[in-house]
Amino acid sequence: MTLSPGTPGDVPLEPVVQLAISEGVRLFDSGAYWHAHEAWERAWRRERAADRHFLKGLIQFAAALHHWHRGARAPVARLLSQAQAHIQTHGGARWPFCINDLVTSLALTARQLQQDAPAPRPLLRPAHRPGQVSPG
């Protein structure tokens, strides 16, 4: 049984939610940011626990990178800022990512945007802990 990230005792993740999260990780790491956004949005729509906010942060990070890679830089800073706030505030200890690495990646991506650098291709670094969502 896979537990929902957040406080101990949260409701277990539905298998369809777990699958959507794992699919989103795979797509994100392959650079298919819009498709990762869509996969995580499917999970976000179904999830009712504390995970919704964390998923929203992942969705916004993927959307920011999608827009940036398409050359539409206008919404990127806002999306990155929102993603950072959601992930820093709602990152759970049982989530399948190294939260500190994810927050660092978001901050680095925001700095690259400010420096007018080319769009980056960050990866989600999995953290394997008992009782968490498997990233793939």
Side-chain angles (χ1 to χ4, degrees), residues 87-103:
I87 288 169
Q88 283 178 315
T89 305
H90 301 285
R94 291 180 281 163
W95 201 266
F97 312 109
C98 293
I99 302 302
N100 290 338
D101 289 351
L102 182 55
V103 170

Side-chain angles (χ1 to χ4, degrees), residues 4-51:
S4 178
T7 58
D10 276 352
V11 178
L13 287 173
E14 295 178 52
V16 67
V17 171
Q18 185 175 348
L19 183 62
I21 292 168
S22 296
E23 181 68 3
V25 171
R26 186 188 67 74
L27 291 163
F28 186 95
D29 284 351
S30 73
Y33 301 114
W34 187 255
H35 296 293
H37 164 280
E38 291 293 307
W40 289 329
E41 197 167 79
R42 283 192 305 275
W44 176 81
R45 278 190 231 112
R46 295 186 66 102
E47 186 56 34
R48 297 291 172 242
D51 310 318

Side-chain angles (χ1 to χ4, degrees), residues 43-95:
W44 176 81
R45 278 190 231 112
R46 295 186 66 102
E47 186 56 34
R48 297 291 172 242
D51 310 318
R52 275 182 72 80
H53 292 287
F54 189 83
L55 282 165
K56 188 168 187 165
L58 290 176
I59 290 164
Q60 290 166 326
F61 191 19
L65 290 167
H66 169 74
H67 288 300
W68 193 353
H69 280 272
R70 287 186 44 240
R73 295 173 67 107
V76 175
R78 176 184 52 81
L79 286 166
L80 288 174
S81 175
Q82 291 170 340
Q84 221 168 356
H86 278 286
I87 288 169
Q88 283 178 315
T89 305
H90 301 285
R94 291 180 281 163
W95 201 266

